[in-house]
mmCIF file of all heavy atoms in Angstrom:
data_model
loop_
_atom_site.group_PDB
_atom_site.id
_atom_site.type_symbol
_atom_site.label_atom_id
_atom_site.label_comp_id
_atom_site.label_asym_id
_atom_site.label_seq_id
_atom_site.Cartn_x
_atom_site.Cartn_y
_atom_site.Cartn_z
ATOM 1 N N PHE T 318 -3.445 4.923 -4.920
ATOM 2 C CA PHE T 318 -3.681 4.786 -3.474
ATOM 3 C C PHE T 318 -4.788 3.764 -3.222
ATOM 4 O O PHE T 318 -4.679 2.887 -2.373
ATOM 5 C CB PHE T 318 -4.152 6.193 -2.940
ATOM 6 C CG PHE T 318 -4.465 6.163 -1.510
ATOM 7 C CD1 PHE T 318 -3.478 6.118 -0.564
ATOM 8 C CD2 PHE T 318 -5.803 6.174 -1.084
ATOM 9 C CE1 PHE T 318 -3.789 6.112 0.797
ATOM 10 C CE2 PHE T 318 -6.123 6.151 0.311
ATOM 11 C CZ PHE T 318 -5.095 6.149 1.215
ATOM 12 N N LYS T 319 -5.862 3.781 -4.061
ATOM 13 C CA LYS T 319 -6.865 2.789 -3.848
ATOM 14 C C LYS T 319 -6.415 1.365 -4.050
ATOM 15 O O LYS T 319 -6.752 0.437 -3.319
ATOM 16 C CB LYS T 319 -8.038 3.104 -4.819
ATOM 17 C CG LYS T 319 -8.827 4.292 -4.508
ATOM 18 C CD LYS T 319 -10.151 4.394 -5.373
ATOM 19 C CE LYS T 319 -9.754 4.652 -6.799
ATOM 20 N NZ LYS T 319 -10.885 4.854 -7.681
ATOM 21 N N ILE T 320 -5.549 1.135 -5.085
ATOM 22 C CA ILE T 320 -5.020 -0.145 -5.316
ATOM 23 C C ILE T 320 -4.198 -0.621 -4.082
ATOM 24 O O ILE T 320 -4.285 -1.768 -3.671
ATOM 25 C CB ILE T 320 -4.157 -0.159 -6.594
ATOM 26 C CG1 ILE T 320 -5.033 0.034 -7.829
ATOM 27 C CG2 ILE T 320 -3.352 -1.450 -6.738
ATOM 28 C CD1 ILE T 320 -4.283 0.321 -9.128
ATOM 29 N N ARG T 321 -3.335 0.326 -3.606
ATOM 30 C CA ARG T 321 -2.546 -0.056 -2.465
ATOM 31 C C ARG T 321 -3.396 -0.440 -1.235
ATOM 32 O O ARG T 321 -3.071 -1.357 -0.494
ATOM 33 C CB ARG T 321 -1.653 1.105 -2.134
ATOM 34 C CG ARG T 321 -0.710 0.872 -0.911
ATOM 35 C CD ARG T 321 0.204 -0.317 -1.143
ATOM 36 N NE ARG T 321 1.019 -0.599 0.002
ATOM 37 C CZ ARG T 321 1.759 -1.649 0.210
ATOM 38 N NH1 ARG T 321 1.758 -2.648 -0.697
ATOM 39 N NH2 ARG T 321 2.510 -1.784 1.251
ATOM 40 N N ILE T 322 -4.432 0.270 -1.008
ATOM 41 C CA ILE T 322 -5.330 0.025 0.111
ATOM 42 C C ILE T 322 -6.041 -1.326 -0.092
ATOM 43 O O ILE T 322 -6.071 -2.136 0.821
ATOM 44 C CB ILE T 322 -6.441 1.101 0.205
ATOM 45 C CG1 ILE T 322 -5.816 2.405 0.784
ATOM 46 C CG2 ILE T 322 -7.547 0.595 1.109
ATOM 47 C CD1 ILE T 322 -5.313 2.388 2.181
ATOM 48 N N GLN T 323 -6.440 -1.603 -1.289
ATOM 49 C CA GLN T 323 -7.090 -2.923 -1.557
ATOM 50 C C GLN T 323 -6.123 -4.081 -1.329
ATOM 51 O O GLN T 323 -6.477 -5.118 -0.761
ATOM 52 C CB GLN T 323 -7.636 -2.924 -2.952
ATOM 53 C CG GLN T 323 -8.817 -1.992 -3.240
ATOM 54 C CD GLN T 323 -9.106 -1.686 -4.644
ATOM 55 O OE1 GLN T 323 -8.345 -2.064 -5.557
ATOM 56 N NE2 GLN T 323 -10.196 -1.057 -4.895
ATOM 57 N N GLU T 324 -4.853 -3.895 -1.813
ATOM 58 C CA GLU T 324 -3.916 -4.966 -1.605
ATOM 59 C C GLU T 324 -3.560 -5.196 -0.175
ATOM 60 O O GLU T 324 -3.453 -6.300 0.306
ATOM 61 C CB GLU T 324 -2.589 -4.570 -2.427
ATOM 62 C CG GLU T 324 -2.815 -4.644 -3.913
ATOM 63 C CD GLU T 324 -1.599 -4.199 -4.648
ATOM 64 O OE1 GLU T 324 -0.678 -3.617 -4.028
ATOM 65 O OE2 GLU T 324 -1.488 -4.455 -5.907
ATOM 66 N N ARG T 325 -3.410 -4.060 0.594
ATOM 67 C CA ARG T 325 -3.017 -4.136 1.959
ATOM 68 C C ARG T 325 -4.221 -4.793 2.762
ATOM 69 O O ARG T 325 -3.966 -5.585 3.634
ATOM 70 C CB ARG T 325 -2.755 -2.750 2.466
ATOM 71 C CG ARG T 325 -2.389 -2.709 3.996
ATOM 72 C CD ARG T 325 -1.185 -3.562 4.267
ATOM 73 N NE ARG T 325 -0.807 -3.476 5.680
ATOM 74 C CZ ARG T 325 0.009 -4.313 6.304
ATOM 75 N NH1 ARG T 325 0.528 -5.332 5.624
ATOM 76 N NH2 ARG T 325 0.310 -4.188 7.545
ATOM 77 N N ALA T 326 -5.424 -4.398 2.435
ATOM 78 C CA ALA T 326 -6.606 -4.985 3.158
ATOM 79 C C ALA T 326 -6.706 -6.473 2.854
ATOM 80 O O ALA T 326 -7.025 -7.201 3.779
ATOM 81 C CB ALA T 326 -7.880 -4.275 2.664
ATOM 82 N N LYS T 327 -6.425 -6.837 1.627
ATOM 83 C CA LYS T 327 -6.466 -8.274 1.265
ATOM 84 C C LYS T 327 -5.485 -9.112 2.132
ATOM 85 O O LYS T 327 -5.767 -10.159 2.706
ATOM 86 C CB LYS T 327 -6.270 -8.443 -0.178
ATOM 87 C CG LYS T 327 -6.215 -9.924 -0.680
ATOM 88 C CD LYS T 327 -6.027 -10.091 -2.125
ATOM 89 C CE LYS T 327 -6.019 -11.488 -2.542
ATOM 90 N NZ LYS T 327 -5.742 -11.596 -4.096
ATOM 91 N N VAL T 328 -4.287 -8.507 2.206
ATOM 92 C CA VAL T 328 -3.219 -9.207 3.038
ATOM 93 C C VAL T 328 -3.599 -9.321 4.456
ATOM 94 O O VAL T 328 -3.417 -10.343 5.097
ATOM 95 C CB VAL T 328 -1.833 -8.452 2.888
ATOM 96 C CG1 VAL T 328 -0.797 -8.958 3.847
ATOM 97 C CG2 VAL T 328 -1.324 -8.531 1.469
ATOM 98 N N ARG T 329 -4.134 -8.224 4.985
ATOM 99 C CA ARG T 329 -4.524 -8.260 6.416
ATOM 100 C C ARG T 329 -5.714 -9.188 6.696
ATOM 101 O O ARG T 329 -5.753 -9.860 7.699
ATOM 102 C CB ARG T 329 -4.898 -6.814 6.829
ATOM 103 C CG ARG T 329 -3.639 -5.950 7.026
ATOM 104 C CD ARG T 329 -4.025 -4.427 7.301
ATOM 105 N NE ARG T 329 -4.889 -4.342 8.415
ATOM 106 C CZ ARG T 329 -4.438 -4.359 9.699
ATOM 107 N NH1 ARG T 329 -3.157 -4.522 9.958
ATOM 108 N NH2 ARG T 329 -5.303 -4.201 10.746
ATOM 109 N N LEU T 330 -6.616 -9.272 5.764
ATOM 110 C CA LEU T 330 -7.743 -10.222 5.888
ATOM 111 C C LEU T 330 -7.267 -11.648 5.830
ATOM 112 O O LEU T 330 -7.685 -12.534 6.651
ATOM 113 C CB LEU T 330 -8.849 -9.961 4.821
ATOM 114 C CG LEU T 330 -9.710 -8.756 5.037
ATOM 115 C CD1 LEU T 330 -10.571 -8.555 3.843
ATOM 116 C CD2 LEU T 330 -10.621 -8.925 6.282
ATOM 117 N N GLU T 331 -6.354 -11.919 4.933
ATOM 118 C CA GLU T 331 -5.802 -13.235 4.809
ATOM 119 C C GLU T 331 -5.042 -13.707 6.112
ATOM 120 O O GLU T 331 -5.163 -14.804 6.619
ATOM 121 C CB GLU T 331 -4.877 -13.414 3.652
ATOM 122 C CG GLU T 331 -5.603 -13.287 2.292
ATOM 123 C CD GLU T 331 -4.686 -13.253 1.125
ATOM 124 O OE1 GLU T 331 -3.428 -13.096 1.342
ATOM 125 O OE2 GLU T 331 -5.133 -13.362 -0.021
#
Side-chain angles (χ1 to χ4, degrees):
F318 180 76
K319 288 189 294 182
I320 292 174
R321 180 59 182 168
I322 287 294
Q323 291 165 351
E324 291 176 347
R325 181 59 178 162
K327 181 180 179 181
V328 170
R329 285 173 58 78
L330 283 172
E331 290 174 351

